[in-house]
Amino acid sequence: MDENEDHVTVAQAKSAPLSPGRRSSLLMQRGSMSLRWFAPRGEDVQTPHDQDEIYIVMNGSGILNNGGAQTVFGPGDVLFVPAGREHKFESFSDNLDLWVVFWGPKGGEEILAEQ
């Protein structure tokens, strides 16, 4: 997928290659914003990210452990994780598919409010 495209289909997202060392596929990027496709299988072993992120659940269900708070989610739900927070998907179905949007400065938007 060309990182400058302004339209991505679910079919394109599901077939996008993973970059070496990554668990999600980069689909679109502009400035600090990037759109990725994340489809964990088995266990979610991700680590905290430098930017704020939003997950948009396309398929599947489970629990998001978001800094110790557990949120049950399903298709159509939107989940926010601030930059730097420990989080992972737990007890999730085998068909979990998510859009992931990262944006803003390293450390998250809160840095902008403090300046």
Side-chain angles (χ1 to χ4, degrees):
M1 172 62 49
D2 182 344
E3 294 175 9
N4 295 317
E5 293 288 329
D6 61 3
H7 176 254
V8 180
T9 67
V10 171
Q12 289 170 319
K14 286 183 174 187
S15 66
L18 290 175
S19 300
R22 296 298 306 234
R23 294 180 192 95
S24 61
S25 300
L26 180 62
L27 304 172
M28 185 183 297
Q29 191 164 23
R30 181 175 174 94
S32 72
M33 185 281 300
S34 62
L35 172 68
R36 304 187 78 87
W37 183 259
F38 184 47
R41 300 295 182 254
E43 182 182 6
D44 178 13
V45 294
Q46 65 179 306
T47 57
H49 306 288
D50 290 341
Q51 293 176 287
D52 290 334
E53 62 184 305
I54 289 179
Y55 292 97
I56 303 163
V57 182
M58 293 300 295
N59 294 304
S61 60
I63 298 169
L64 173 65
N65 184 329
N66 190 351
Q70 295 189 332
T71 302
V72 176
F73 65 85
D77 288 350
V78 176
L79 307 161
F80 172 74
V81 178
R85 181 178 285 170
E86 293 278 345
H87 64 285
K88 67 179 180 174
F89 292 96
E90 301 175 339
S91 302
F92 54 89
S93 60
D94 290 338
N95 66 336
L96 183 58
D97 293 325
L98 306 127
W99 296 106
V100 186
V101 179
F102 293 94
W103 79 95
K106 288 185 178 186
E109 289 288 339
E110 199 169 71
I111 290 173
L112 294 177
E114 295 173 356
Q115 292 180 351

